[in-house]
Amino acid sequence: MNTNPQYVDISGLRFGRWTVVEKAGKTKDNHQMWLCRCDCGVTRNVTGKDLRVGKSRSCGCISKEIFQDVVSTHNL
């Protein structure tokens, strides 16, 4: 049973390219951590706050793809 009224189980939800797998403990600042799997296959612990406010949308693969699109010329 959930004894913390502020705790909301977000397992299974998607945030950007992250899919939340399960709760992964708390940070030293008492923020909830979640084990997330990116669409590209990388798994990482991410804070719930970073997921909710959009600070973390992927493992970094989005930035790599955007950078690649910017620097490529005519797909060469």
Coordinates of all heavy atoms in Angstrom, one line a residue:
M1 N 0.8 -1.2 0.0 CA 0.0 0.0 0.0 C 0.9 1.2 0.0 O 1.9 1.3 0.7 CB -0.9 0.0 1.2 CG -1.8 1.1 1.3 SD -3.0 0.9 2.6 CE -3.7 2.5 2.6
N2 N 0.5 2.2 -0.7 CA 1.2 3.5 -0.8 C 1.0 4.4 0.4 O -0.2 4.8 0.6 CB 0.8 4.2 -2.1 CG 1.6 5.4 -2.4 OD1 2.5 5.8 -1.7 ND2 1.2 6.2 -3.4
T3 N 2.0 4.6 1.1 CA 1.9 5.5 2.3 C 2.2 6.9 2.1 O 2.0 7.7 2.9 CB 2.7 4.9 3.5 OG1 4.1 4.9 3.1 CG2 2.3 3.5 3.9
N4 N 2.8 7.2 1.0 CA 3.2 8.6 0.6 C 2.2 9.2 -0.3 O 2.0 8.8 -1.4 CB 4.6 8.6 -0.1 CG 5.1 10.0 -0.3 OD1 4.3 11.0 -0.2 ND2 6.3 10.1 -0.7
P5 N 1.4 10.2 0.2 CA 0.3 10.8 -0.7 C 0.9 11.5 -1.9 O 0.1 11.7 -2.9 CB -0.4 11.7 0.3 CG 0.6 12.0 1.3 CD 1.5 10.8 1.5
Q6 N 2.2 11.9 -1.9 CA 2.7 12.6 -3.1 C 3.3 11.6 -4.1 O 3.6 12.0 -5.2 CB 3.8 13.5 -2.6 CG 3.3 14.6 -1.7 CD 4.5 15.5 -1.3 OE1 5.6 15.2 -1.4 NE2 4.1 16.7 -0.7
Y7 N 3.4 10.4 -3.8 CA 3.9 9.4 -4.7 C 2.9 8.9 -5.7 O 1.8 8.5 -5.4 CB 4.4 8.2 -3.9 CG 4.8 7.0 -4.8 CD1 6.0 6.9 -5.5 CD2 3.9 5.9 -4.8 CE1 6.3 5.8 -6.3 CE2 4.2 4.8 -5.6 CZ 5.4 4.8 -6.3 OH 5.7 3.7 -7.1
V8 N 3.2 9.1 -7.0 CA 2.3 8.6 -8.1 C 3.1 7.6 -8.9 O 4.2 8.0 -9.4 CB 1.8 9.8 -8.9 CG1 1.0 9.3 -10.1 CG2 1.1 10.8 -8.1
D9 N 2.6 6.5 -9.1 CA 3.3 5.4 -9.9 C 3.1 5.8 -11.4 O 2.0 5.8 -11.9 CB 2.7 4.1 -9.6 CG 3.4 2.9 -10.3 OD1 4.5 3.2 -10.9 OD2 3.0 1.8 -10.1
I10 N 4.3 6.1 -12.0 CA 4.2 6.4 -13.4 C 4.8 5.3 -14.3 O 5.1 5.5 -15.5 CB 5.0 7.8 -13.7 CG1 6.5 7.7 -13.2 CG2 4.3 8.9 -13.0 CD1 7.3 8.9 -13.6
S11 N 4.9 4.1 -13.7 CA 5.4 3.0 -14.5 C 4.6 2.7 -15.7 O 3.3 2.8 -15.7 CB 5.4 1.7 -13.6 OG 6.2 1.8 -12.5
G12 N 5.2 2.5 -16.9 CA 4.5 2.3 -18.1 C 4.2 3.5 -18.9 O 3.9 3.4 -20.1
L13 N 4.4 4.7 -18.3 CA 4.1 5.9 -19.0 C 5.3 6.3 -19.9 O 6.4 5.9 -19.6 CB 3.8 7.1 -18.1 CG 2.5 6.9 -17.2 CD1 2.3 8.2 -16.3 CD2 1.3 6.7 -18.1
R14 N 5.0 7.1 -21.0 CA 6.1 7.6 -21.9 C 6.3 9.1 -21.7 O 5.3 9.9 -21.5 CB 5.7 7.3 -23.3 CG 5.8 5.8 -23.6 CD 5.5 5.6 -25.1 NE 6.4 6.3 -26.0 CZ 7.6 6.0 -26.4 NH1 8.2 4.9 -25.9 NH2 8.3 6.7 -27.2
F15 N 7.5 9.5 -21.7 CA 7.9 10.9 -21.6 C 9.0 11.1 -22.7 O 10.1 10.6 -22.5 CB 8.5 11.2 -20.3 CG 7.5 11.1 -19.1 CD1 7.4 9.9 -18.5 CD2 6.8 12.2 -18.7 CE1 6.5 9.8 -17.4 CE2 5.9 12.1 -17.7 CZ 5.7 10.8 -17.0
G16 N 8.6 11.7 -23.8 CA 9.5 11.8 -24.9 C 9.8 10.4 -25.5 O 8.9 9.7 -25.8
R17 N 11.1 10.0 -25.5 CA 11.5 8.7 -26.0 C 11.6 7.7 -24.8 O 11.9 6.6 -25.0 CB 12.7 8.7 -26.8 CG 12.5 9.4 -28.1 CD 13.8 9.3 -28.9 NE 13.5 9.9 -30.2 CZ 14.4 9.9 -31.2 NH1 15.6 9.4 -31.1 NH2 14.1 10.5 -32.3
W18 N 11.5 8.2 -23.5 CA 11.6 7.4 -22.4 C 10.3 6.6 -22.1 O 9.2 7.2 -22.2 CB 11.9 8.2 -21.1 CG 13.2 8.8 -21.0 CD1 13.5 10.1 -20.8 CD2 14.5 8.1 -20.9 NE1 14.8 10.3 -20.6 CE2 15.5 9.1 -20.7 CE3 14.9 6.8 -21.1 CZ2 16.8 8.8 -20.6 CZ3 16.2 6.5 -21.0 CH2 17.2 7.5 -20.8
T19 N 10.4 5.3 -21.8 CA 9.3 4.5 -21.2 C 9.7 4.2 -19.8 O 10.8 3.6 -19.6 CB 9.1 3.3 -22.0 OG1 8.7 3.6 -23.4 CG2 7.9 2.5 -21.4
V20 N 8.9 4.5 -18.8 CA 9.2 4.3 -17.4 C 9.0 2.8 -17.1 O 7.9 2.3 -17.4 CB 8.4 5.1 -16.5 CG1 8.7 4.9 -15.0 CG2 8.6 6.6 -16.8
V21 N 10.0 2.1 -16.6 CA 10.0 0.7 -16.3 C 9.5 0.5 -14.9 O 8.6 -0.3 -14.7 CB 11.3 0.0 -16.6 CG1 11.3 -1.4 -16.2 CG2 11.8 0.3 -18.0
E22 N 10.2 1.1 -13.9 CA 9.9 0.8 -12.5 C 10.5 1.9 -11.6 O 11.4 2.6 -12.1 CB 10.3 -0.5 -12.1 CG 11.8 -0.7 -12.1 CD 12.3 -2.1 -11.9 OE1 11.4 -3.1 -11.9 OE2 13.5 -2.3 -11.6
K23 N 10.1 2.0 -10.4 CA 10.7 2.9 -9.4 C 12.1 2.4 -9.1 O 12.3 1.2 -9.0 CB 9.8 2.8 -8.1 CG 10.2 3.9 -7.1 CD 9.1 4.0 -6.1 CE 9.4 3.1 -4.9 NZ 8.6 3.4 -3.7
A24 N 13.0 3.4 -9.0 CA 14.4 3.0 -8.7 C 15.0 3.7 -7.5 O 16.2 4.0 -7.5 CB 15.2 3.4 -10.0
G25 N 14.2 4.0 -6.5 CA 14.7 4.6 -5.3 C 14.6 6.1 -5.3 O 13.8 6.7 -6.0
K26 N 15.4 6.7 -4.5 CA 15.4 8.2 -4.3 C 16.8 8.8 -4.4 O 17.8 8.1 -4.1 CB 14.7 8.6 -3.0 CG 13.2 8.2 -2.9 CD 12.6 8.8 -1.7 CE 11.1 8.5 -1.8 NZ 10.4 9.2 -0.7
T27 N 16.9 10.0 -4.7 CA 18.1 10.7 -4.7 C 18.4 11.2 -3.3 O 17.6 11.1 -2.4 CB 18.1 12.0 -5.6 OG1 17.2 12.9 -5.0 CG2 17.7 11.7 -7.0
K28 N 19.6 11.7 -3.0 CA 20.0 12.2 -1.7 C 19.1 13.4 -1.3 O 19.0 13.7 -0.1 CB 21.5 12.5 -1.6 CG 21.9 13.6 -2.6 CD 23.4 13.9 -2.5 CE 23.8 15.0 -3.5 NZ 25.2 15.2 -3.4
D29 N 18.5 14.1 -2.3 CA 17.6 15.2 -2.0 C 16.2 14.7 -1.9 O 15.2 15.5 -1.9 CB 17.7 16.2 -3.1 CG 19.1 16.8 -3.3 OD1 19.8 16.9 -2.2 OD2 19.4 17.2 -4.4
N30 N 16.0 13.4 -1.8 CA 14.6 12.8 -1.6 C 13.7 12.9 -2.9 O 12.5 12.9 -2.7 CB 14.0 13.3 -0.4 CG 13.0 12.3 0.2 OD1 13.2 11.1 0.1 ND2 12.0 12.8 0.9
H31 N 14.3 13.0 -4.1 CA 13.5 13.0 -5.3 C 13.4 11.6 -5.8 O 14.3 10.8 -5.7 CB 14.2 13.9 -6.4 CG 14.1 15.3 -6.0 ND1 15.2 16.1 -6.2 CD2 13.2 16.1 -5.5 CE1 15.0 17.4 -5.9 NE2 13.7 17.4 -5.4
Q32 N 12.2 11.2 -6.3 CA 11.9 9.9 -6.8 C 12.7 9.6 -8.1 O 12.7 10.4 -9.0 CB 10.5 9.7 -7.0 CG 10.1 8.3 -7.4 CD 10.3 7.4 -6.2 OE1 9.8 7.6 -5.1 NE2 11.0 6.3 -6.4
M33 N 13.4 8.5 -8.1 CA 14.1 8.1 -9.3 C 13.3 7.0 -10.0 O 12.7 6.1 -9.3 CB 15.5 7.5 -9.0 CG 16.4 8.6 -8.4 SD 16.9 9.9 -9.6 CE 17.8 9.0 -10.8
W34 N 13.4 6.9 -11.3 CA 12.7 5.9 -12.1 C 13.7 5.3 -13.1 O 14.4 6.0 -13.8 CB 11.5 6.6 -12.9 CG 10.5 7.1 -12.0 CD1 10.4 8.3 -11.4 CD2 9.4 6.4 -11.4 NE1 9.4 8.4 -10.6 CE2 8.7 7.2 -10.6 CE3 8.9 5.1 -11.5 CZ2 7.6 6.9 -9.9 CZ3 7.8 4.7 -10.8 CH2 7.1 5.6 -10.0
L35 N 13.6 4.0 -13.2 CA 14.3 3.3 -14.3 C 13.6 3.4 -15.6 O 12.4 3.1 -15.7 CB 14.5 1.8 -13.9 CG 15.2 1.0 -15.0 CD1 16.7 1.4 -15.2 CD2 15.2 -0.5 -14.6
C36 N 14.2 4.0 -16.6 CA 13.6 4.3 -17.9 C 14.4 3.6 -19.0 O 15.6 3.5 -18.9 CB 13.5 5.8 -18.1 SG 12.6 6.7 -16.9
R37 N 13.6 3.2 -20.0 CA 14.2 2.7 -21.2 C 13.9 3.6 -22.4 O 12.8 3.9 -22.7 CB 13.7 1.3 -21.5 CG 14.3 0.6 -22.8 CD 13.9 -0.8 -22.9 NE 14.5 -1.6 -21.9 CZ 13.7 -2.3 -21.0 NH1 12.4 -2.2 -21.0 NH2 14.3 -3.0 -20.0
C38 N 15.0 4.0 -23.1 CA 14.9 4.9 -24.3 C 14.4 4.0 -25.5 O 14.7 2.8 -25.5 CB 16.2 5.6 -24.5 SG 16.1 6.8 -25.8
D39 N 13.8 4.6 -26.4 CA 13.4 3.9 -27.7 C 14.6 3.2 -28.3 O 14.5 2.2 -29.0 CB 12.7 4.8 -28.6 CG 11.4 5.2 -28.2 OD1 10.8 4.7 -27.2 OD2 10.8 6.2 -28.8
C40 N 15.8 3.8 -28.2 CA 17.0 3.2 -28.8 C 17.6 2.1 -28.0 O 18.5 1.4 -28.4 CB 18.1 4.3 -29.0 SG 18.9 4.9 -27.5
G41 N 17.0 1.8 -26.8 CA 17.4 0.6 -26.0 C 18.2 0.9 -24.8 O 18.4 0.0 -23.9
V42 N 18.7 2.1 -24.6 CA 19.5 2.5 -23.4 C 18.6 2.6 -22.2 O 17.4 3.1 -22.3 CB 20.2 3.9 -23.6 CG1 20.8 4.4 -22.4 CG2 21.2 3.8 -24.7
T43 N 19.0 2.1 -21.1 CA 18.3 2.2 -19.8 C 19.1 3.1 -18.9 O 20.3 3.1 -18.8 CB 18.0 0.9 -19.1 OG1 19.3 0.2 -18.9 CG2 17.1 0.0 -20.0
R44 N 18.3 3.9 -18.1 CA 19.0 4.9 -17.2 C 18.0 5.3 -16.1 O 16.8 5.3 -16.4 CB 19.4 6.1 -18.0 CG 20.3 7.1 -17.3 CD 20.9 8.1 -18.2 NE 21.8 7.5 -19.1 CZ 22.1 7.9 -20.3 NH1 21.5 9.0 -20.8 NH2 22.9 7.3 -21.1
N45 N 18.5 5.7 -15.0 CA 17.7 6.2 -13.9 C 17.5 7.7 -14.1 O 18.5 8.4 -14.4 CB 18.3 6.0 -12.5 CG 18.3 4.5 -12.1 OD1 17.5 3.8 -12.6 ND2 19.2 4.1 -11.2
V46 N 16.2 8.1 -14.1 CA 15.9 9.5 -14.3 C 15.0 10.0 -13.2 O 14.1 9.2 -12.8 CB 15.2 9.7 -15.7 CG1 14.9 11.2 -16.0 CG2 16.0 9.1 -16.8
T47 N 15.1 11.2 -12.7 CA 14.2 11.7 -11.7 C 12.8 12.0 -12.3 O 12.7 12.4 -13.5 CB 14.7 13.0 -11.0 OG1 14.7 14.1 -12.0 CG2 16.1 12.9 -10.4
G48 N 11.8 11.8 -11.5 CA 10.4 12.0 -11.9 C 10.2 13.5 -12.3 O 9.5 13.8 -13.3
K49 N 10.9 14.4 -11.6 CA 10.7 15.8 -11.9 C 11.3 16.1 -13.3 O 10.6 16.8 -14.1 CB 11.5 16.6 -10.9 CG 11.4 18.1 -11.2 CD 12.2 18.9 -10.1 CE 12.1 20.4 -10.4 NZ 12.9 21.2 -9.5
D50 N 12.4 15.6 -13.6 CA 13.0 15.8 -15.0 C 12.1 15.2 -16.1 O 12.0 15.8 -17.2 CB 14.4 15.2 -15.1 CG 15.5 15.9 -14.3 OD1 15.2 17.1 -13.8 OD2 16.6 15.4 -14.1
L51 N 11.5 14.1 -15.8 CA 10.5 13.5 -16.8 C 9.3 14.5 -16.9 O 8.9 14.8 -18.1 CB 10.1 12.2 -16.3 CG 11.1 11.1 -16.3 CD1 10.6 9.8 -15.6 CD2 11.6 10.7 -17.8
R52 N 8.7 14.9 -15.8 CA 7.5 15.7 -15.9 C 7.7 17.0 -16.5 O 6.8 17.5 -17.3 CB 6.9 15.8 -14.5 CG 6.3 14.6 -13.9 CD 5.5 14.9 -12.6 NE 6.3 15.6 -11.6 CZ 7.2 15.0 -10.8 NH1 7.3 13.7 -10.8 NH2 7.8 15.8 -9.9
V53 N 8.8 17.7 -16.3 CA 9.0 19.1 -16.8 C 9.6 19.0 -18.2 O 9.8 20.1 -18.8 CB 9.8 20.0 -15.9 CG1 9.1 20.1 -14.5 CG2 11.2 19.5 -15.7
G54 N 10.0 17.8 -18.7 CA 10.5 17.7 -20.0 C 12.0 18.0 -20.1 O 12.6 18.1 -21.2
K55 N 12.7 18.0 -19.0 CA 14.1 18.2 -19.0 C 14.9 17.1 -19.6 O 15.9 17.2 -20.2 CB 14.6 18.5 -17.5 CG 16.1 18.9 -17.4 CD 16.5 19.2 -16.0 CE 17.9 19.6 -15.9 NZ 18.3 19.9 -14.6
S56 N 14.4 15.9 -19.4 CA 15.0 14.7 -19.9 C 13.9 14.0 -20.9 O 12.9 13.5 -20.4 CB 15.4 13.7 -18.8 OG 16.0 12.5 -19.4
R57 N 14.3 14.0 -22.2 CA 13.3 13.4 -23.2 C 13.9 12.1 -23.8 O 13.1 11.4 -24.4 CB 13.1 14.4 -24.3 CG 12.4 15.7 -23.8 CD 12.1 16.7 -24.9 NE 13.3 17.0 -25.6 CZ 13.4 17.2 -26.9 NH1 12.3 17.2 -27.6 NH2 14.5 17.5 -27.4
S58 N 15.2 11.9 -23.6 CA 15.8 10.7 -24.1 C 17.2 10.5 -23.5 O 17.6 11.4 -22.7 CB 16.0 10.8 -25.7 OG 17.0 11.6 -26.0
C59 N 17.9 9.5 -23.9 CA 19.2 9.3 -23.4 C 20.3 10.2 -24.0 O 21.4 10.2 -23.6 CB 19.6 7.8 -23.6 SG 19.8 7.4 -25.4
G60 N 19.9 10.9 -25.0 CA 20.8 11.8 -25.7 C 20.8 11.5 -27.2 O 21.3 12.2 -28.0
C61 N 20.0 10.5 -27.6 CA 20.0 10.1 -29.0 C 19.2 11.2 -29.8 O 19.5 11.3 -31.0 CB 19.3 8.7 -29.1 SG 17.7 8.6 -28.5
I62 N 18.3 11.9 -29.2 CA 17.6 13.0 -29.9 C 18.6 14.0 -30.3 O 18.6 14.5 -31.5 CB 16.5 13.6 -29.1 CG1 15.3 12.6 -28.9 CG2 16.0 14.9 -29.7 CD1 14.2 13.1 -28.0
S63 N 19.5 14.5 -29.4 CA 20.5 15.5 -29.7 C 21.4 15.0 -30.8 O 21.8 15.8 -31.6 CB 21.3 15.8 -28.4 OG 20.4 16.4 -27.4
K64 N 21.8 13.8 -30.7 CA 22.7 13.2 -31.7 C 22.1 13.3 -33.1 O 22.7 13.7 -34.1 CB 23.1 11.8 -31.4 CG 24.0 11.7 -30.2 CD 24.3 10.3 -29.9 CE 25.0 10.1 -28.5 NZ 25.2 8.7 -28.1
E65 N 20.8 12.9 -33.2 CA 20.1 13.0 -34.5 C 19.9 14.4 -35.0 O 20.1 14.6 -36.2 CB 18.7 12.3 -34.3 CG 18.8 10.8 -34.1 CD 17.4 10.2 -33.9 OE1 16.4 10.8 -34.1 OE2 17.4 9.0 -33.5
I66 N 19.6 15.3 -34.1 CA 19.4 16.7 -34.5 C 20.7 17.3 -35.0 O 20.8 17.9 -36.0 CB 18.9 17.6 -33.3 CG1 17.4 17.2 -33.1 CG2 19.0 19.1 -33.7 CD1 16.8 17.8 -31.8
F67 N 21.8 17.0 -34.3 CA 23.1 17.4 -34.7 C 23.5 16.9 -36.0 O 24.0 17.6 -36.9 CB 24.2 17.1 -33.6 CG 25.6 17.5 -34.0 CD1 26.0 18.8 -33.9 CD2 26.5 16.5 -34.5 CE1 27.3 19.2 -34.2 CE2 27.8 16.9 -34.8 CZ 28.2 18.2 -34.7
Q68 N 23.3 15.6 -36.2 CA 23.6 14.9 -37.5 C 22.8 15.6 -38.6 O 23.4 15.8 -39.7 CB 23.3 13.4 -37.4 CG 23.7 12.7 -38.6 CD 25.2 12.7 -38.8 OE1 26.0 12.7 -37.8 NE2 25.7 12.6 -40.0
D69 N 21.5 15.9 -38.4 CA 20.8 16.6 -39.5 C 21.3 18.0 -39.8 O 21.3 18.4 -41.0 CB 19.3 16.7 -39.0 CG 18.6 15.4 -39.0 OD1 19.1 14.4 -39.6 OD2 17.5 15.3 -38.4
V70 N 21.8 18.7 -38.8 CA 22.3 20.0 -39.0 C 23.6 20.0 -39.8 O 23.8 20.8 -40.7 CB 22.5 20.8 -37.6 CG1 23.2 22.1 -37.8 CG2 21.1 21.0 -37.0
V71 N 24.5 19.1 -39.4 CA 25.8 19.1 -40.1 C 25.8 18.4 -41.4 O 26.8 18.6 -42.2 CB 26.9 18.5 -39.1 CG1 27.0 19.4 -37.9 CG2 26.6 17.1 -38.8
S72 N 24.9 17.6 -41.7 CA 24.9 16.9 -43.0 C 24.4 17.8 -44.1 O 23.5 18.6 -43.9 CB 24.1 15.6 -42.9 OG 22.7 15.9 -42.8
T73 N 25.0 17.7 -45.2 CA 24.6 18.5 -46.4 C 24.2 17.5 -47.5 O 25.0 16.7 -47.9 CB 25.8 19.3 -46.9 OG1 26.2 20.2 -45.8 CG2 25.3 20.2 -48.0
H74 N 22.9 17.6 -47.8 CA 22.4 16.7 -48.9 C 22.6 15.2 -48.6 O 22.9 14.5 -49.5 CB 23.0 17.1 -50.3 CG 22.8 18.5 -50.6 ND1 21.6 19.0 -51.0 CD2 23.7 19.5 -50.7 CE1 21.7 20.3 -51.2 NE2 23.0 20.6 -51.1
N75 N 22.5 14.9 -47.3 CA 22.7 13.5 -46.8 C 24.0 12.9 -47.2 O 24.1 11.7 -47.4 CB 21.6 12.7 -47.3 CG 20.2 13.1 -46.7 OD1 20.2 13.5 -45.6 ND2 19.2 13.0 -47.5
L76 N 25.1 13.7 -47.3 CA 26.4 13.2 -47.6 C 27.2 13.1 -46.4 O 27.2 13.8 -45.5 CB 27.1 14.2 -48.6 CG 26.5 14.3 -50.0 CD1 27.3 15.3 -50.8 CD2 26.4 13.0 -50.7

